[in-house]
Amino acid sequence: MSGPLDATASQDLGAAGAPKLAGDTFPKLLLDMAKRRGDQPAIREKEYGIWQSWTWDQVAQEIRALACGLAALGLKRGDKIGIIGDNRPRLYWTMTAAQAVGAIPVPLYQDSGASELSFVIEHAEIRFVMAEDQEQVDKMLTVRESYPKLERIFYDDARGLRHYGQDFVRDFASVQAQGRDYDARHPGFYDDAVAAASGADTAIFLYTSGTTGQPKGVVLSFDNLIKTAANGIAFDALNADDEVLAYLPMAWVGDHLFSYGQSYVAGFCVSCPESSDTVLLDLRELGPTYFFAPPRIFENILTTVMIRMEDGGWLKRRMFKYFMTVAKRCGTRVLDGKPVALSDRLLYALGNVMVFAPLRNTLGFTRIRLAYTAGEAIGPDIFDFYRSIGINLKQLYGSTEASVYITMQPDGEILPDTVGRPAPGVEIKIAEDGEVMFRSPGVFVEYYKNPEATASTKTADGWVHTGDAGFMDDNGHLKIIDRAKDVGHLNDGGLFAPKYIENKLKFFPDIKEAVAYGHQRNYCAAFINIDLEAVGSWAERNNVAYASYQELAANPDVLKTITNHVEAVNRDLSQDPRLASSQIKRFLVLHKELDADDGELTRTRKVRRSFVADKYGPLVEALYSNQDQVHVETEMTFEDGRKGVVKADLKILAAQTFGQSEPLKMVG
Amino acid sequence: MSEQAKRIGDTLLRVEGITLSFGGVRALNDVSFEIKEHEILAIIGPNGAGKSSMLNVINGFYHPQEGTISFKGRERKRMRPYVAAKQGIARTFQNIALFKGMSTLDNIMTGRMLKMKRNFLWQALYWGPALKEEIENREFCEKVIDFLEIQAIRKTPVGRLPYGLQKRVELGRALAAEPEILLLDEPMAGMNVEEKEDMCRFILDVNDEFGTTIALIEHDMGVVMDISDRVVVLDYGRKIADGTPDAVRADQQVIDAYLGVSH
């Protein structure tokens, strides 16, 4: 359809704009960086309250020692090494070190339990693991009990591990020490090993978190990653002076491309936060120029801002409210360089001094040049909020199978409900059934040891099924509606796009998560999770006492507020003729937070809709009955792994729906 | 257990024949026991048994009418709090005693006060040796912060923190003094299961990583039995048992004291 045409144009752009590459593998790029930018910072980590940094030259030395150490311990070409932990320089180095000797790094999600991990470790036939700390080492020891082929476990942080007597558990530094010794005795080894690899070789396995079924190991080559990274760098004019905070899971393709791939190609410095709790503080200290976050993080930041403004003094609240209306009116136009009335321009400039600039500073976005969001649709209001205060937030659409980029929004062409034009080098077509398909240099090699899945996802001539339903709009921008398999129909034939409705609900800071039902039903209904932080703050300000999440979620005033939110969404939906029939008639507020530990969310915190529908089957049925109350008992997993049962009587609430032609003033 | 037995050394602190009265009330009556190097000793007993009084005697808040305390071989009748602190006895309190308006970091820095050698004038000038000293002490505090995993609240005023974290900050302040003996008065009181587990891990880690000797008062028997090497049981101001957790658990007198038998 419109895909191939766009593609030829963008492919030329990509080829012309991409920087000349100094190597076709990451270890080769590293050697080049050490030569050209040896004294420039390559990576930082905040430790003991101070940003510690390593130059490209130091990083090259560290990685060389580690690579030789791994080789001395028996890591061979084609072996797999697992990497698990928060973003730490040493874990990133392990990736390059493994690649230098021809081994394949397999980053693992750090908050997965031992049972989830053992599937991946066995499937990928991992021999060695680099673990961050005692917590991860313990999990690996559990995995090893059932999978003895996991030969060695290394660790970065020695705390609590002193008494682990096992000889296969070793400290990072001791591997490096052995490596330096090995290097001295085999002087040509490292350079030969690096030279032996080429772009077509496998660079990494990235296991997809899998909304359904077991995770699949996506095999990406050096060519996939390096070419895609270079295209992205050219598209957004990234350079060696950019500044990035690496805080998203290392096992996720986005982090791998932005914090690893592009750093090696463009030469910019990557910083690792002090701990997962300090990310927002570190963000503020660092002031990155290039920032990536899934919509959830932008939502969380916005929720925090709103809560803190509520707690502010009268004057501050008024000022914030006033200038936010100014920003809403003209902020995005100012950012896009479009014409704006002089009076608005002056007001916006004043607002910038009084509100927007201090707000950007508080959030750590003072130096931000480019921010991306992807992974899920972002609420248009959230998106506009950031753009209107002067942050160049853009959407991209991508997948692990594409080494990230499929479409990106070019500067100045930002439409909140689309995900932009095809990225450089990417061709897009829409299949007969509405599914989006793409072909690009980043297209994955295969799913590891899963030829059936590979064949059903990737066609013989290189087109990949995304599983998403969407269409190209008149401007040549791609618009994604939902997962192709999730888009359904109500019994009256009306379109039902659950994610679209859920996203609208989730824009309200009080609502953390929502699950919509409606496919082959008479009307649309929903589960709602309140946001403990936002609603808790409301409770505190209004002297509402509560002992637990469950109690707060059942508070009549809270239920009333949520009902108002649902009705606001209905009003919004009623404006769109295609979606007017999917207004929410009945809903309930869940008694517990949906949690990845209970399997209700994926590790990337997406709702597993069918799992939730099965688990809470009686609740779904109650939504489609005449009951106004339903009893539920749910098993839940506590953070320490113990299980308990939560019982609750949930109220089923009805929300007002609106006729399509009904004017807004009918409400209230 | 055998590994722990090996790491435990000689007697570090000994209390002998301690008797403490407040007017007519005998809080402690001829209590003797010892704390060995590198061990975790739990002092348990029903309410009003004299546990906190015992810690207060060791650390010099209370001066017993009879009995002696010997620490690192030096015997004395009355310990003064600042002497105790100087010699390496640090403690936390049953009711948190932090500076609520100060940040976590500043609170922990106060634990380093005794290590600061420069006088007031130098510190006010904040230059040369005073600056160097401040940096050295800050470095140590940062290690404590890292150890207790409280980086995210480094700059947060302590009064705004939840209870469990305040307890952790208090432990941090005690650790900042690099103590040889750490006295913990109900470190887990009022905590939920998760906070208790965290605290247990920190106590074990402190003992393991720094080799600090720990004496703690605790009500949660599960915790006591899990983490301590030895248990001393007090009842009505008298010591009724002293031994390994298993031995103490089986002791008839202890069972009676907890279940209540007429005296």
Side-chain angles (χ1 to χ4, degrees):
Chain A
M1 318 216 168
S2 61
L5 242 172
D6 287 327
T8 27
S10 51
Q11 235 162 1
D12 288 341
L13 191 147
K20 217 175 135 317
L21 294 168
D24 55 359
T25 69
F26 292 116
K28 288 181 195 171
L29 290 173
L30 172 67
L31 290 180
D32 175 64
M33 278 295 162
K35 219 178 289 164
R36 285 193 295 126
R37 300 177 50 83
D39 58 344
Q40 299 295 309
I43 198 161
R44 289 193 204 99
E45 178 185 24
K46 194 172 177 194
E47 203 179 15
Y48 301 130
I50 293 173
W51 288 99
Q52 324 269 352
S53 53
W54 288 265
T55 64
W56 282 105
D57 196 38
Q58 287 167 328
V59 168
Q61 301 295 331
E62 297 274 1
I63 288 173
R64 184 184 178 112
L66 180 64
C68 293
L70 293 173
L73 289 167
L75 190 71
K76 293 190 302 291
R77 198 157 287 279
D79 283 350
K80 287 85 175 178
I81 176 165
I83 296 171
I84 186 163
D86 285 334
N87 312 66
R88 298 272 169 242
R90 284 173 160 188
L91 300 190
Y92 283 111
W93 298 343
T94 307
M95 287 187 181
T96 326
Q99 290 168 341
V101 295
I104 300 161
V106 186
L108 306 165
Y109 279 98
Q110 68 268 36
D111 55 355
S112 308
S115 55
E116 285 167 86
L117 290 169
S118 60
F119 170 82
V120 174
I121 289 172
E122 287 189 45
H123 185 263
E125 297 161 33
I126 288 173
R127 279 185 69 200
F128 292 1
V129 163
M130 179 66 74
E132 184 196 1
D133 54 13
Q134 186 183 16
E135 182 191 347
Q136 307 296 357
V137 169
D138 286 348
K139 283 195 252 178
M140 290 304 135
L141 291 173
T142 313
V143 172
R144 195 175 186 272
E145 279 167 20
S146 59
Y147 183 69
K149 285 184 190 162
L150 177 58
E151 284 171 45
R152 288 179 186 277
I153 301 165
F154 310 116
Y155 55 84
D156 172 8
D157 182 356
R159 169 154 175 216
L161 288 162
R162 193 163 302 159
H163 300 301
Y164 284 41
Q166 300 94 327
D167 53 356
F168 56 87
V169 180
R170 289 187 54 175
D171 181 22
F172 184 94
S174 80
V175 179
Q176 279 190 322
Q178 189 164 350
R180 288 192 188 93
D181 181 51
Y182 186 85
D183 198 12
R185 283 186 289 111
H186 305 82
F189 167 78
Y190 183 78
D191 294 319
D192 291 347
V194 170
S198 70
D201 292 346
T202 298
I204 198 159
F205 290 175
L206 294 172
Y207 276 78
T208 55
S209 54
T211 21
T212 46
Q214 293 289 12
K216 287 179 286 200
V218 179
V219 177
L220 295 175
S221 68
F222 289 109
D223 279 344
N224 287 156
L225 288 162
I226 292 177
K227 284 182 182 160
T228 309
N231 282 340
I233 288 167
F235 184 82
D236 284 315
L238 299 173
N239 60 51
D241 297 325
D242 275 308
E243 194 71 68
V244 170
L245 184 70
Y247 69 101
L248 290 162
M250 290 176 68
W252 182 58
V253 68
D255 182 72
H256 191 66
L257 191 82
F258 302 121
S259 312
Y260 184 81
Q262 294 192 327
S263 167
Y264 275 79
V265 175
F268 58 69
C269 179
V270 173
S271 300
C272 300
E274 191 164 19
S275 82
S276 51
D277 302 329
T278 61
V279 170
L280 291 181
L281 296 169
D282 296 333
L283 185 67
R284 187 179 174 191
E285 282 180 9
L286 189 74
T289 59
Y290 178 35
F291 181 67
F292 188 94
R296 185 178 299 270
I297 304 240
F298 286 110
E299 274 170 41
N300 288 348
I301 297 176
L302 179 60
T303 308
T304 321
V305 168
M306 290 303 182
I307 291 170
R308 284 175 62 178
M309 281 323 298
E310 293 285 342
D311 288 341
W314 176 84
L315 186 67
K316 281 185 187 162
R317 276 207 313 269
R318 285 295 298 271
M319 208 163 75
F320 178 74
K321 280 225 170 83
Y322 177 74
F323 284 112
M324 284 320 296
T325 42
V326 173
K328 203 166 185 180
R329 195 162 65 226
C330 65
T332 52
R333 296 181 67 83
V334 172
L335 186 67
D336 287 340
K338 289 184 183 146
V340 174
L342 183 65
S343 58
D344 270 353
R345 201 171 274 280
L346 289 175
L347 271 176
Y348 188 83
L350 185 63
N352 194 34
V353 175
M354 308 280 281
V355 175
F356 315 142
L359 185 57
R360 287 200 301 270
N361 183 34
T362 308
L363 299 179
F365 292 146
T366 297
R367 297 198 293 158
I368 204 93
R369 208 162 56 75
L370 186 62
Y372 269 113
T373 184
E376 270 192 87
I378 187 165
D381 304 290
I382 303 170
F383 189 67
D384 283 344
F385 169 83
Y386 287 97
R387 292 192 61 79
S388 69
I389 62 166
I391 294 166
N392 187 18
L393 176 62
K394 305 201 285 182
Q395 292 188 69
L396 67 79
Y397 171 62
S399 74
T400 311
E401 287 81 356
S403 313
V404 179
Y405 302 126
I406 299 174
T407 65
M408 306 164 86
Q409 294 181 321
D411 283 333
E413 286 184 56
I414 314 292
L415 304 163
D417 55 346
T418 75
V419 288
R421 293 180 181 282
V426 180
E427 302 168 67
I428 288 185
K429 70 176 181 189
I430 311 292
E432 293 294 312
D433 60 352
E435 186 179 355
V436 178
M437 298 182 74
F438 69 92
R439 188 160 71 175
S440 77
V443 166
F444 70 120
V445 180
E446 59 172 353
Y447 291 119
Y448 187 58
K449 293 202 300 195
N450 196 344
E452 302 86 44
T454 309
S456 66
T457 307
K458 193 166 123 174
T459 65
D461 49 355
W463 288 94
V464 179
H465 293 271
T466 59
D468 286 323
F471 58 88
M472 283 290 187
D473 72 2
D474 302 338
N475 305 311
H477 285 231
L478 181 67
K479 185 167 179 169
I480 301 287
I481 318 174
D482 205 333
R483 295 295 294 171
K485 65 175 172 41
D486 287 342
V487 175
H489 292 279
L490 295 163
N491 282 345
D492 65 1
L495 185 70
F496 169 68
K499 198 179 273 179
Y500 190 81
I501 298 167
E502 289 160 10
N503 285 336
K504 279 205 177 298
L505 285 167
K506 278 156 60 182
F507 169 62
F508 294 98
D510 294 333
I511 298 178
K512 179 148 194 186
E513 207 55 74
V515 191
Y517 300 96
H519 181 53
Q520 292 173 349
R521 300 275 191 180
N522 287 331
Y523 54 85
C524 185
F527 287 172
I528 285 170
N529 252 182
I530 58 164
D531 187 302
L532 188 58
E533 202 177 331
V535 181
S537 155
W538 166 86
E540 200 177 305
R541 273 181 285 114
N542 291 285
N543 288 323
V544 176
Y546 64 97
S548 65
Y549 182 87
Q550 191 181 343
E551 194 178 331
L552 188 63
N555 180 294
D557 287 330
V558 171
L559 294 180
K560 208 166 159 211
T561 313
I562 301 292
T563 308
N564 288 337
H565 294 337
V566 172
E567 286 172 356
V569 168
N570 282 347
R571 202 174 309 147
D572 213 9
L573 288 169
S574 72
Q575 304 299 308
D576 188 330
R578 282 184 307 164
L579 297 163
S581 57
S582 59
Q583 296 183 49
I584 298 162
K585 270 216 178 94
R586 281 159 68 83
F587 69 96
L588 57 83
V589 176
L590 284 175
H591 54 298
K592 76 174 270 295
E593 269 185 290
L594 297 178
D595 196 328
D597 286 342
D598 293 327
E600 294 153 345
L601 302 179
T602 65
R603 287 288 160 201
T604 46
R605 299 195 60 84
K606 291 180 191 166
V607 173
R608 297 169 74 177
R609 211 174 275 121
S610 56
F611 181 90
V612 172
D614 281 351
K615 180 167 179 181
Y616 297 105
L619 298 189
V620 180
E621 287 321 310
L623 284 172
Y624 290 100
S625 69
N626 301 322
Q627 286 167 264
D628 55 3
Q629 188 153 322
V630 58
H631 180 76
V632 60
E633 291 186 16
T634 317
E635 185 171 83
M636 68 181 281
T637 315
F638 295 106
E639 248 181 54
D640 59 3
R642 287 175 313 123
K643 290 187 189 294
V645 174
V646 200
K647 296 177 197 171
D649 287 306
L650 302 180
K651 275 209 166 55
I652 299 202
L653 300 151
Q656 195 185 346
T657 55
F658 303 87
Q660 203 180 307
S661 55
E662 238 171 319
L664 286 176
K665 60 176 182 290
M666 284 292 289
V667 183
Chain B
M1 214 57 212
S2 60
E3 198 187 324
Q4 276 182 329
K6 260 179 273 165
R7 114 191 115 80
I8 291 169
D10 297 336
T11 302
L12 185 63
L13 184 140
R14 186 199 309 271
V15 291
E16 247 178 315
I18 296 287
T19 299
L20 174 74
S21 312
F22 299 104
V25 181
R26 284 223 153 159
L28 293 169
N29 193 353
D30 192 24
V31 177
S32 308
F33 62 88
E34 50 193 32
I35 305 176
K36 296 197 171 76
E37 227 175 333
H38 306 313
E39 80 174 339
I40 299 181
L41 173 81
I43 302 174
I44 64 171
N47 282 333
K51 305 181 297 290
S52 290
S53 299
M54 194 64 239
L55 280 203
N56 284 335
V57 165
I58 293 176
N59 138 275
F61 278 144
Y62 295 160
H63 297 150
Q65 281 78 12
E66 280 167 47
T68 55
I69 306 163
S70 60
F71 179 51
K72 289 196 274 187
R74 280 188 60 189
E75 192 168 299
R76 60 185 74 217
K77 190 140 172 81
R78 30 172 67 182
M79 184 75 96
R80 294 195 183 275
Y82 66 90
V83 178
K86 252 191 185 148
Q87 291 194 336
I89 302 180
R91 72 169 294 178
T92 66
F93 297 85
Q94 193 171 351
N95 309 311
I96 297 168
L98 291 165
F99 301 100
K100 303 269 181 211
M102 279 163 46
S103 69
T104 297
L105 175 66
D106 288 339
N107 267 289
I108 293 176
M109 282 292 273
T110 59
R112 298 293 292 174
M113 277 312 197
L114 284 169
K115 309 276 170 191
M116 305 265 205
K117 301 286 184 298
R118 302 291 148 194
N119 63 27
F120 174 72
L121 195 63
W122 273 110
Q123 293 192 357
L125 282 172
Y126 196 56
W127 171 78
L131 182 61
K132 185 164 163 277
E133 188 181 72
E134 174 98 4
I135 289 171
E136 282 167 7
N137 284 304
R138 170 75 188 264
E139 271 171 13
F140 189 86
C141 289
E142 285 293 343
K143 293 221 166 88
V144 171
I145 287 173
D146 186 70
F147 183 82
L148 294 175
E149 296 164 10
I150 46 177
Q151 299 98 331
I153 54 162
R154 188 185 280 126
K155 304 243 164 96
T156 314
V158 164
R160 290 226 307 257
L161 297 175
Y163 182 77
L165 275 179
Q166 292 195 12
K167 281 268 186 194
R168 215 189 284 181
V169 175
E170 207 187 22
L171 176 63
R173 182 179 60 185
L175 284 179
E178 294 178 73
E180 282 186 53
I181 293 193
L182 191 55
L183 309 177
L184 306 174
D185 197 347
E186 301 205 15
M188 276 157 269
M191 287 189 174
N192 63 31
V193 177
E194 214 177 300
E195 288 171 330
K196 273 186 188 173
E197 284 185 350
D198 278 348
M199 191 50 104
C200 280
R201 189 164 59 85
F202 288 124
I203 291 173
L204 288 170
D205 280 356
V206 167
N207 180 252
D208 191 41
E209 297 270 311
F210 304 130
T212 312
T213 308
I214 293 170
L216 61 94
I217 295 177
E218 187 47 59
H219 275 297
D220 186 322
M221 282 304 127
V223 167
V224 168
M225 297 302 165
D226 271 358
I227 70 172
S228 44
D229 299 313
R230 207 153 55 82
V231 180
V232 167
V233 189
L234 298 181
D235 188 28
Y236 288 99
R238 285 173 300 114
K239 182 172 97 170
I240 58 170
D242 183 346
T244 62
D246 288 333
V248 166
R249 205 197 316 247
D251 189 302
Q252 190 55 43
Q253 259 187 300
V254 176
I255 296 168
D256 290 347
Y258 271 89
L259 294 180
V261 168
S262 59
H263 284 264

